[in-house]
Amino acid sequence: MKLSTKSRYALEGMLYMAVYGKDRLLTVKEIAAGTAVSPAYMEQIFFTLKKAGLVSTVRGAKGGFTLGYPENEITVGRIIRAIDGDLVPVSCVANLSSCKSKARSNCISRYVWIRISDAIAKTADKQTLEMLKDQFMKESDGAENEDIH
Amino acid sequence: MKLSTKSRYALEGMLYMAVYGKDRLLTVKEIAAGTAVSPAYMEQIFFTLKKAGLVSTVRGAKGGFTLGYPENEITVGRIIRAIDGDLVPVSCVANLSSCKSKARSNCISRYVWIRISDAIAKTADKQTLEMLKDQFMKESDGAENEDIH
DNA sequence: ATAAATCCTACCAATTTAGTAATATATTTA
DNA sequence: TAAATATATTACTAAATTGGTAGGATTTAT
């Protein structure tokens, strides 16, 4: 499966937008700075998010990014899928034809990965940016400039 | 995270043992043949499983492998951990100190991966070899030599 | 002895990941 | 219109990981 740092960066960038980008355009530069990711790399990531429709853009000077959907419609699952592709751990799960072994036990183990896959998807799909933002706001209460983890 | 083909092979090998290896030693050669994995590779995998105690061995001629624990105590989770290490998707989740960003939003995204991690672990840990074997037996009923997936 | 089996390490090729870089294109503003 | 700013797009690369091979060392049954 793929749960890369890239999709983590994507989530952090999107979350940054939800928290700090209400009703205004954010540049990649700002988002990258706010999440401590290299601007060039974040740009590449946002390019992918754009293609998936998860962010909207305005080009040129004074341009920037906004969320492509309401915060409560953007789930962690959508972000991961946009960046890392389907949430499937083993290729054999995705396309059955790659299951070349004749051992029938493979079919059983296949169910195992499907169950795991479903668990991941379910967990990822029920967390929205809105929820995470709320959690963030709550945590920040009375601890604005801590920078403590 | 890591859910590699290697851990899938390990699971298939272990499952093969549960199904075909009751009360007898199985050689890597047989297990590899039964699961359509290269013997040398399967041997390496079983070496790792041995170190984790998941299988027991008898060395020398007429030697071989048996399960290291009762079937109902060997979970998919234990197998995956033995082969691929901890079921943690992002390094930052495992050791907090690698969370070098100053952006507080990282902490929130960290919770996301922890939730996903927990979901994976929970799903993997509740599936035992015994259950999978039972499922296998049931599926095989009246369809012994199908080789259909 | 020798054959069969695990034990253990080293190595390698291919892929993936993480990231840099550079150039093209669009838009604002002076 | 020129300059500055920002996204769009593609190409490239270094490092790590993955998937797998190879081979010798050791142990044990016959």
Side-chain angles (χ1 to χ4, degrees):
Chain A
M1 193 192 38
K2 306 220 242 143
L3 291 174
S4 60
T5 67
K6 205 167 181 173
S7 57
R8 184 159 62 91
Y9 292 164
L11 172 60
E12 283 165 15
M14 296 286 280
L15 189 52
Y16 184 91
M17 291 183 73
V19 173
Y20 297 109
K22 197 70 185 176
D23 303 324
R24 73 184 176 103
L25 291 173
L26 295 179
T27 65
V28 157
K29 201 180 286 183
E30 173 178 351
I31 297 169
T35 54
V37 174
S38 124
Y41 198 34
M42 195 55 116
E43 190 173 306
Q44 196 184 96
I45 290 168
F46 268 72
F47 178 48
T48 304
L49 292 173
K50 163 71 190 286
K51 281 188 289 185
L54 288 175
V55 296
S56 301
T57 58
V58 174
R59 297 185 63 166
K62 298 284 176 180
F65 292 86
T66 52
L67 294 177
Y69 297 91
E71 291 160 14
N72 63 343
E73 291 180 19
I74 300 180
T75 64
V76 172
R78 290 181 75 176
I79 296 171
I80 296 176
R81 278 187 204 92
I83 300 295
D84 286 333
D86 247 345
L87 290 164
V88 174
V90 188
S91 71
C92 158
V93 177
N95 70 350
L96 196 44
S97 60
S98 72
C99 220
K100 46 185 173 290
S101 156
K102 297 208 173 201
R104 272 190 53 68
S105 64
N106 281 351
C107 295
I108 304 294
S109 81
R110 191 169 169 268
Y111 295 146
V112 171
W113 305 124
I114 289 177
R115 285 182 199 119
I116 291 177
S117 237
D118 287 348
I120 296 171
K122 200 170 166 185
T123 306
D125 283 334
K126 76 181 168 200
Q127 300 182 72
T128 67
L129 277 191
E130 188 177 40
M131 291 166 48
L132 296 174
K133 177 186 173 183
D134 288 349
Q135 188 180 351
F136 174 80
M137 298 302 200
K138 205 168 163 184
E139 293 218 350
S140 298
D141 254 10
E144 307 300 325
N145 296 313
E146 275 189 350
D147 269 359
I148 288 175
H149 292 258
Chain B
M1 192 194 42
K2 307 220 242 142
L3 290 175
S4 61
T5 67
K6 204 166 182 174
S7 56
R8 184 159 61 90
Y9 292 164
L11 172 59
E12 283 166 15
M14 296 286 280
L15 189 50
Y16 184 91
M17 291 182 73
V19 173
Y20 298 107
K22 198 69 183 176
D23 304 324
R24 72 185 177 104
L25 292 173
L26 294 179
T27 64
V28 157
K29 202 180 285 184
E30 173 178 350
I31 297 168
T35 53
V37 174
S38 124
Y41 199 33
M42 195 55 116
E43 188 174 310
Q44 195 183 98
I45 290 168
F46 268 71
F47 177 49
T48 305
L49 291 173
K50 164 72 190 285
K51 281 188 291 186
L54 289 175
V55 296
S56 302
T57 58
V58 173
R59 297 185 64 168
K62 299 282 178 185
F65 292 86
T66 51
L67 293 178
Y69 297 89
E71 290 159 17
N72 64 342
E73 290 179 20
I74 300 181
T75 63
V76 173
R78 291 181 76 176
I79 296 171
I80 295 176
R81 280 188 203 92
I83 300 294
D84 286 332
D86 248 346
L87 290 164
V88 174
V90 189
S91 70
C92 158
V93 176
N95 69 349
L96 196 45
S97 60
S98 73
C99 218
K100 48 185 174 289
S101 157
K102 298 206 171 199
R104 274 192 50 69
S105 63
N106 280 351
C107 295
I108 305 294
S109 82
R110 191 169 169 269
Y111 296 145
V112 171
W113 306 124
I114 289 177
R115 285 183 198 118
I116 290 177
S117 237
D118 288 348
I120 296 172
K122 201 171 167 185
T123 306
D125 284 334
K126 75 180 169 201
Q127 300 182 72
T128 67
L129 276 191
E130 188 179 41
M131 290 165 49
L132 295 174
K133 178 185 172 183
D134 288 348
Q135 188 180 351
F136 174 80
M137 297 301 199
K138 204 169 166 185
E139 292 219 349
S140 298
D141 255 10
E144 308 301 325
N145 296 313
E146 275 189 352
D147 269 358
I148 286 175
H149 293 256

